[in-house]
């Protein structure tokens, strides 16, 4: 038999890799010879010979696995009851699922984990399908291998396995929660940004005793669903975590309400986070003051809020919260201070009213004088726009003594108005032009209709006044129009 084995091995070397059939036949024959020899040496006292032959057989399988028919070889090795050699050949043939399933049936979980993480094992689905069983049996060793794999695995697909974690299967002396250990490493070191992974870690933090501080620290990050986190933390009675979430959502009323159940200083921290909304901050300070007075009966603490609330609270704001028979001695100084401030404000208001009265008198005097103001126009006065004598047609004269023809001023001012005002000017000019002949007709009708003529004249005056406000409210050369035109291109 040994001579035959030697001959066949020598013969095998003479065939090239392209001689597939010949190599398969010879390799299968050699497998039978090796198995027969191993079975004969199984009970031999000289174990060294057996081990040497077993090593030689494994080397043969390793070198010629491609030349062997997988099914035939499996059947051949199984018929001899050689499980160890069968598993070895399966690994060489890349049939890792067969090996892993065998170890799982035999409850050799460490061996299954070792095969699963072999470099040649590239089947990710096999990995994700096997991890749940290993996580339930050897969680610590499984997480160690997961961490070694790093970014090669998707933490989201590992979540179902993490949910089968059994704390009682941890080695003696190990107390750390293994799913939390893995997810923290995945987020902090592997930089995972999957919101589902972050949400699951929050749920583990909330449900697992001893991770309260880690939960509060993690909630200051951004990659998680705040509404989901709030539901989980509320269910697990994680009050301080709920406060952080409410604050991150801008729901400061709820944050203060919960903070009052924990610590008054924590409630103050929530109020200080409110910016540019004094009314809202005042309501929150009042809520705290009411809690301090009604629940804790600490009037001194409530009075201290007056100085801490950035002058948003007054003594009269919190007085309604005090018991009916509270001694005034406890806040007499604050009441005196408030009355003094009100007296000062009343004096300031009186001074403001006196100043306003004097200003009103001066304004009425100026208006009266303005009605009587007039100017002179010489017969050779020229329009400051067109340069022709102004007395030839309707003109405007301004206090600065600039004089413009009405049509010249209208034409210039319209170019500086917006579209809406331009259309209004056109409408008023049309109405005035239409009313002028109407006036002429009405002057010639019966005297008993003269009141209608007066009405017509009143409408003209109204339109002219509005037109004057649009085009003659200020001097073209001295007013804002000239100043604003500086920035316009020529």
């Amino acid at each position: 038999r040994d001579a035959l084995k030697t001959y066949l091995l020598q013969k095998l070397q003479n065939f090239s890799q392209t001689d597939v059939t010949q190599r398969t036949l010879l390799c299968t024959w050699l497998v039978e010879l090796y198995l027969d020899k191993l079975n004969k040496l199984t009970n031999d006292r000289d174990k060294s010979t057996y081990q040497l032959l077993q090593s030689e057989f494994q080397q043969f399988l390793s070198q010629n696995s491609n030349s062997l028919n997988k099914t035939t070889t499996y059947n051949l090795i199984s018929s001899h009851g050689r499980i160890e050699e069968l598993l070895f050949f399966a690994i060489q043939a890349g049939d890792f699922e067969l090996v892993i399933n065998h170890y799982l049936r035999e409850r050799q979980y460490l061996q299954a984990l070792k095969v699963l993480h072999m470099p040649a094992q590239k089947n990710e689905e096999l990995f994700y399908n096997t991890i749940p069983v290993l996580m339930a049996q050897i969680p610590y060793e499984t997480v160690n291998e997961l961490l070694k794999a790093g970014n090669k695995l998707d933490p989201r697909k590992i979540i179902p396995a993490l949910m089968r974690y059994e704390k009682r299967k941890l080695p003696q002396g190990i107390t750390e929660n293994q799913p939390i250990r893995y997810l923290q490493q995945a987020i902090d070191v592997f930089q995972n940004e999957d919101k589902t992974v972050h949400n699951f870690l929050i749920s583990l933090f909330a449900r697992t005793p001893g991770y309260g501080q880690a939960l509060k620290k993690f909630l200051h990050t951004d990659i998680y669903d705040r509404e989901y986190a709030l539901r989980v933390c509320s269910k697990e009675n994680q009050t301080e975590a709920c406060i952080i979430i409410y604050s991150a959502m801008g729901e400061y009323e709820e944050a203060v309400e919960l903070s009052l159940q924990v610590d008054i200083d924590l409630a103050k921290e929530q109020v200080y986070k409110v910016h540019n909304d004094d009314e809202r901050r005042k309501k929150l300070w009042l809520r705290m003051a009411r809690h301090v007075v009604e629940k804790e009966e600490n009037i001194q603490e409530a009075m201290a809020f007056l100085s801490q609330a950035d002058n948003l609270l007054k003594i009269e704001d919190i007085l309604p919260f005090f018991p009916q028979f509270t001694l005034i001695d406890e806040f007499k100084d604050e009441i005196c201070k408030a009355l003094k401030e009100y007296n000062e404000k009343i004096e300031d208001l009186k001074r403001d009213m006196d100043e306003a009265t004097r200003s009103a008198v001066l304004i009425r005097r100026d208006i009266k004088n303005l009605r009587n103001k007039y100017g002179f126009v010489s017969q050779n006065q020229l329009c400051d726009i067109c340069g022709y004598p102004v007395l030839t047609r309707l003109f405007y004269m301004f206090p600065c003594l600039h004089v413009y023809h009405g049509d010249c001023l209208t034409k210039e001012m319209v170019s500086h108005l917006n579209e809406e005002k331009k259309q209004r000017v056109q409408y008023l000019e049309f109405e005035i032009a239409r009313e002028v002949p109407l006036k002429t007709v009405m002057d010639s009708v019966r005297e008993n209709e003269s009141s209608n003529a007066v009405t017509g004249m009143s409408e003209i005056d109204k339109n002219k006044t509005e037109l004057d406000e649009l085009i003659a409210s200020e001097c073209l050369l001295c007013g804002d129009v000239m100043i604003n035109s500086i920035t316009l291109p020529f």
Side-chain angles (χ1 to χ4, degrees):
R1 289 262 178 175
D2 288 342
L4 179 59
K5 183 185 69 171
T6 304
Y7 170 76
L8 293 178
L9 287 172
Q10 186 62 43
K11 193 68 176 176
L12 181 62
Q13 294 179 2
N14 294 334
F15 288 113
S16 65
Q17 295 294 331
T18 57
D19 299 323
V20 179
T21 304
Q22 293 87 337
R23 290 184 64 86
T24 300
L25 288 172
L26 287 177
C27 287
T28 305
W29 194 352
L30 284 166
V31 168
E32 174 62 29
L33 294 176
Y34 273 116
L35 291 172
D36 182 65
K37 183 67 172 177
L38 284 171
N39 284 337
K40 290 180 179 180
L41 294 176
T42 300
N43 298 322
D44 194 358
R45 294 182 178 181
D46 188 4
K47 296 295 182 182
S48 60
T49 304
Y50 173 80
Q51 293 173 355
L52 185 62
L53 181 61
Q54 187 182 39
S55 177
E56 181 184 340
F57 181 44
Q58 291 180 354
Q59 184 178 2
F60 171 79
L61 292 176
S62 177
Q63 293 174 351
N64 299 282
S65 59
N66 294 332
S67 298
L68 288 167
N69 180 271
K70 187 185 296 186
T71 304
T72 302
T73 307
Y74 282 161
N75 293 334
L76 191 59
I77 298 176
S78 299
S79 66
H80 287 269
R82 308 297 301 184
I83 301 301
E84 185 176 352
E85 284 72 18
L86 178 66
L87 297 177
F88 181 85
F89 174 71
I91 292 174
Q92 302 306 311
D95 196 353
F96 296 98
E97 186 172 2
L98 183 148
V99 181
I100 291 173
N101 287 337
H102 169 78
Y103 284 135
L104 293 180
R105 285 194 301 270
E106 297 296 322
R107 298 187 179 183
Q108 298 181 27
Y109 301 112
L110 289 175
Q111 290 296 328
L113 182 62
K114 182 179 178 181
V115 173
L116 190 62
H117 283 274
M118 283 184 172
Q121 203 291 104
K122 304 294 184 182
N123 187 350
E124 286 192 7
E125 288 304 317
L126 175 60
F127 191 96
Y128 295 127
N129 292 336
T130 307
I131 283 296
V133 179
L134 298 178
M135 195 69 196
Q137 300 298 330
I138 48 171
Y140 180 73
E141 295 80 358
T142 302
V143 168
N144 286 342
E145 294 300 327
L146 290 175
L147 295 178
K148 290 178 182 178
N151 285 323
K152 296 178 182 179
L153 300 174
D154 184 357
R156 184 172 187 169
K157 294 182 179 180
I158 297 177
I159 288 178
L162 299 179
M163 296 176 69
R164 298 192 61 183
Y165 166 68
E166 289 287 346
K167 181 180 178 181
R168 56 190 177 84
K169 294 296 181 71
L170 288 175
Q172 188 176 1
I174 303 298
T175 58
E176 186 179 6
N177 184 285
Q178 297 306 301
I180 290 178
R181 174 183 165 220
Y182 169 71
L183 292 176
Q184 282 185 307
Q185 189 85 350
I187 292 172
D188 297 337
V189 179
F190 305 149
Q191 302 297 312
N192 182 277
E193 296 183 354
D194 191 328
K195 185 175 288 188
T196 302
V197 175
H198 287 243
N199 289 344
F200 184 61
L201 179 56
I202 288 175
S203 68
L204 292 178
F205 278 145
R207 293 198 304 262
T208 308
Y211 284 91
Q213 291 299 324
L215 173 61
K216 289 186 286 185
K217 181 180 178 181
F218 188 78
L219 289 174
H220 287 96
T221 61
D222 296 324
I223 310 176
Y224 65 91
D225 187 333
R226 290 195 176 101
E227 293 183 359
Y228 169 80
L230 185 60
R231 289 195 300 270
V232 171
C233 294
S234 298
K235 181 180 178 181
E236 301 297 334
N237 296 321
Q238 297 284 352
T239 304
E240 293 189 43
C242 291
I243 294 170
I244 295 174
I245 299 171
Y246 274 128
S247 180
M249 297 171 68
E251 302 292 342
Y252 297 108
E253 289 78 6
E254 288 78 3
V256 168
E257 199 68 35
L258 285 179
S259 299
L260 293 175
Q261 302 176 16
V262 180
D263 182 50
I264 191 67
D265 291 331
L266 184 59
K268 293 178 183 178
E269 291 180 11
Q270 311 312 313
V271 179
Y272 290 137
K273 294 177 182 179
V274 181
H275 301 290
N276 302 321
D277 193 344
D278 290 345
E279 186 65 27
R280 192 178 190 185
R281 292 173 61 197
K282 182 178 180 180
K283 289 180 179 178
L284 296 177
W285 279 111
L286 285 174
R287 177 65 190 91
M288 289 192 295
R290 183 171 187 172
H291 173 82
V292 169
V293 174
E294 294 181 354
K295 302 296 182 182
E296 301 181 5
E297 299 182 356
N298 190 341
I299 296 177
Q300 293 298 329
E301 179 73 18
M303 297 303 298
F305 286 170
L306 298 179
S307 60
Q308 298 173 8
D310 298 329
N311 298 321
L312 294 175
L313 292 183
K314 302 297 182 184
I315 182 66
E316 62 270 24
D317 294 326
I318 62 175
L319 277 177
F321 304 145
F322 291 167
Q324 187 174 359
F325 300 103
T326 303
L327 293 177
I328 197 173
D329 292 342
E330 296 184 9
F331 46 89
K332 179 177 64 177
D333 294 340
E334 293 296 335
I335 293 178
C336 293
K337 181 180 178 181
L339 291 175
K340 183 178 180 181
E341 289 179 356
Y342 280 125
N343 285 332
E344 292 176 354
K345 288 182 179 180
I346 291 172
E347 291 299 324
D348 291 340
L349 288 173
K350 286 182 178 179
R351 286 193 291 269
D352 292 342
M353 291 174 62
D354 293 340
E355 184 65 26
T357 301
R358 288 193 295 271
S359 298
V361 172
L362 293 176
I363 290 172
R364 285 195 291 269
R365 185 185 303 165
D366 291 342
I367 292 174
K368 183 177 180 181
N369 294 335
L370 186 61
R371 291 174 181 171
N372 299 324
K373 192 172 184 179
Y374 59 90
F376 296 96
V377 178
S378 62
Q379 62 181 0
N380 59 349
Q381 182 81 38
L382 303 180
C383 172
D384 288 317
I385 295 177
C386 66
Y388 286 94
V390 296
L391 296 179
T392 56
R393 55 186 185 273
L394 175 70
F395 65 88
Y396 289 93
M397 183 178 184
F398 291 90
C400 58
L401 301 183
H402 282 121
V403 184
Y404 314 100
H405 285 131
D407 54 343
C408 294
L409 180 62
T410 301
K411 182 179 179 181
E412 288 294 326
M413 288 296 293
V414 164
S415 63
H416 297 282
L417 299 177
N418 57 39
E419 193 62 32
E420 182 181 354
K421 290 184 178 180
K422 286 181 182 179
Q423 294 178 1
R424 186 61 181 169
V425 169
Q426 293 176 358
Y427 171 76
L428 292 173
E429 288 180 331
F430 173 77
E431 288 293 315
I432 292 172
R434 188 172 66 85
E435 292 289 343
V436 169
L438 181 63
K439 170 183 174 292
T440 304
V441 172
M442 287 187 173
D443 284 341
S444 62
V445 296
R446 295 188 307 271
E447 291 188 6
N448 59 358
E449 296 179 352
S450 60
S451 60
N452 292 334
V454 173
T455 304
M457 287 295 294
S458 177
E459 188 67 25
I460 291 176
D461 290 342
K462 181 178 177 181
N463 290 336
K464 285 184 176 180
T465 301
E466 185 177 354
L467 183 62
D468 289 343
E469 291 176 355
L470 289 172
I471 66 172
S473 60
E474 59 181 359
C475 177
L476 177 65
L477 299 178
C478 301
D480 293 337
V481 173
M482 179 56 66
I483 296 173
N484 294 334
S485 66
I486 295 175
T487 60
L488 298 177
F490 293 101

